[in-house]
Amino acid sequence: MATMDLATNEPTPVVSVKPVTLSAPGRGEDLRVRVSAPVTGHELPVIVFSHGFGSSLDGYGPLVDFWAAHGFVVMQPTHLDSRTLGLPPDDPRTPRIWRSRVEDLKRILDHLDLLEAAVPGLHGRLDQSRIAAAGHSFGGQTAGNLLGLRVLDPETGEAADLSDSRIRAGVLFATAGQGGADLSAFAVENFPFLNPSFADMTTPTLVVAGDQDDSPLTVRGPDWMTDPYFLSPGSKSLLTLFGAEHSLGGIVGYEARETTDENPGRVALIQRLTWAYLRHALDIDGSDWLAAQKSLADDDSPQGRLESR
């Protein structure tokens, strides 16, 4: 596959520190964050990454390790829904976890200096003017809120603007589409916060979806995961991966049990394309993104399709 040969900068060793603890009054417990960074380089852009339902700061190594080795600093919180915390369903915080997740990402943005100082040798090397938000599955909706996505709060009936001007770009992996009649009965009963609007999601974003991601949360099928692209305004790109299910070939972790469609080649494609997109969207270097688009378009047996507007 041609895109596999897409050039990237040389990988560098990575240092990763966990947990860095941020005080979080009212959350029930402090926020734990993992920070991964290349050991060399300056003016390093930042990615805040939101994990999928039940995961933690220990997940998504295939993405995080690649991004950090190629010049990004990645911040990963453990949200309250993580299996590592064991929050019971009847906990009073459970109905508001979707909102708590967004607050976790904002808390990271508010304390970048503290997080930077927690990693030996990282002080003074961040570029806090170049920050992206990314997330997978439930984490895609979480990151999407910072990009302008709005959730109709099932308790208040309000769709608050939780966007953050510090975020300049986003990558949403396997992210839920619109709610209402598109939701399955299971989703309506168990996930009442799955009712996003993309009408105000104006921040430049790459949406990554699998054409075999047949979710039990919707009656529509895999195209539901493309809603963040088709229903949002502004500069957007969509990478549709052929044959990919919800784990998109294995981005959730190395040999993770939830990966139903293990495909190292697909993961390598995602690594390179997301890296190139973020360098473009954060105004670091647009040539990599142009090369990636051409490489995929020229491929005789592509693993996906890329479109932009």
Side-chain angles (χ1 to χ4, degrees):
M1 186 179 68
T3 310
M4 286 285 291
D5 299 325
L6 176 66
T8 61
N9 55 9
E10 288 296 318
T12 63
V14 171
V15 59
S16 186
V17 175
K18 67 166 189 177
V20 182
T21 302
L22 299 180
S23 176
R27 187 176 183 267
E29 58 183 282
D30 290 339
L31 177 63
R32 294 184 296 168
V33 182
R34 179 175 186 161
V35 183
S36 301
V39 298
T40 61
H42 293 275
E43 298 183 345
L44 301 171
V46 177
I47 301 171
V48 290
F49 186 87
S50 180
H51 63 71
F53 185 83
S55 188
S56 72
L57 56 74
D58 290 312
Y60 299 90
L63 290 178
V64 174
D65 292 348
F66 184 90
W67 289 336
H70 291 84
F72 287 88
V73 176
V74 187
M75 312 281 188
Q76 296 174 268
T78 290
H79 298 303
L80 288 176
D81 58 89
S82 173
R83 290 183 292 270
T84 65
L85 300 181
L87 202 70
D90 60 353
D91 188 284
R93 292 170 289 178
T94 297
R96 300 283 287 169
I97 278 181
W98 75 268
R99 182 74 176 256
S100 169
R101 283 170 142 264
V102 181
E103 292 165 356
D104 289 346
L105 299 188
K106 287 180 175 284
R107 185 167 281 112
I108 288 174
L109 297 175
D110 291 341
H111 295 89
L112 285 178
D113 290 341
L114 188 155
L115 292 163
E116 180 182 24
V119 179
L122 187 58
H123 178 68
R125 295 170 55 215
L126 291 190
D127 182 351
Q128 296 192 23
S129 72
R130 287 187 167 99
I131 307 175
H136 174 244
S137 194
F138 193 9
Q141 177 171 295
T142 303
N145 276 272
L146 300 188
L147 306 172
L149 176 157
R150 298 192 185 187
V151 172
L152 183 65
D153 191 314
E155 293 188 329
T156 67
E158 300 177 351
D161 179 8
L162 302 179
S163 62
D164 197 300
S165 62
R166 292 170 290 187
I167 300 297
R168 291 180 53 184
V171 181
L172 304 184
F173 299 93
T175 299
Q178 65 181 356
D182 290 345
L183 295 180
S184 66
F186 171 78
V188 171
E189 180 179 355
N190 294 280
F191 301 99
F193 49 78
L194 282 181
N195 45 18
S197 168
F198 303 99
D200 298 289
M201 197 177 81
T202 57
T203 305
T205 302
L206 171 63
V207 177
V208 183
D211 70 358
Q212 298 299 311
D213 187 0
D214 200 359
S215 173
L217 301 176
T218 182
V219 297
R220 271 178 48 194
D223 74 301
W224 187 55
M225 302 289 183
T226 66
D227 281 359
Y229 173 76
F230 288 109
L231 300 182
S232 64
S235 176
K236 298 291 186 297
S237 293
L238 171 65
L239 173 62
T240 302
L241 296 163
F242 304 150
E245 299 176 9
H246 198 60
S247 293
L248 302 174
I251 67 168
V252 296
Y254 301 108
E255 301 182 38
R257 65 180 181 181
E258 58 261 53
T259 298
T260 57
D261 62 336
E262 186 174 1
N263 189 317
R266 183 180 298 139
V267 173
L269 172 65
I270 293 169
Q271 290 170 334
R272 286 159 173 77
L273 281 173
T274 55
W275 173 83
Y277 175 79
L278 288 173
R279 284 171 57 82
H280 155 71
L282 294 175
D283 294 323
I284 299 169
D285 185 347
S287 62
D288 303 305
W289 180 236
L290 292 174
Q293 295 177 85
K294 184 178 187 304
S295 181
L296 191 58
D298 292 345
D299 197 334
D300 292 333
S301 55
Q303 291 210 45
R305 179 181 63 254
L306 186 61
E307 52 196 291
S308 299
R309 55 172 170 76

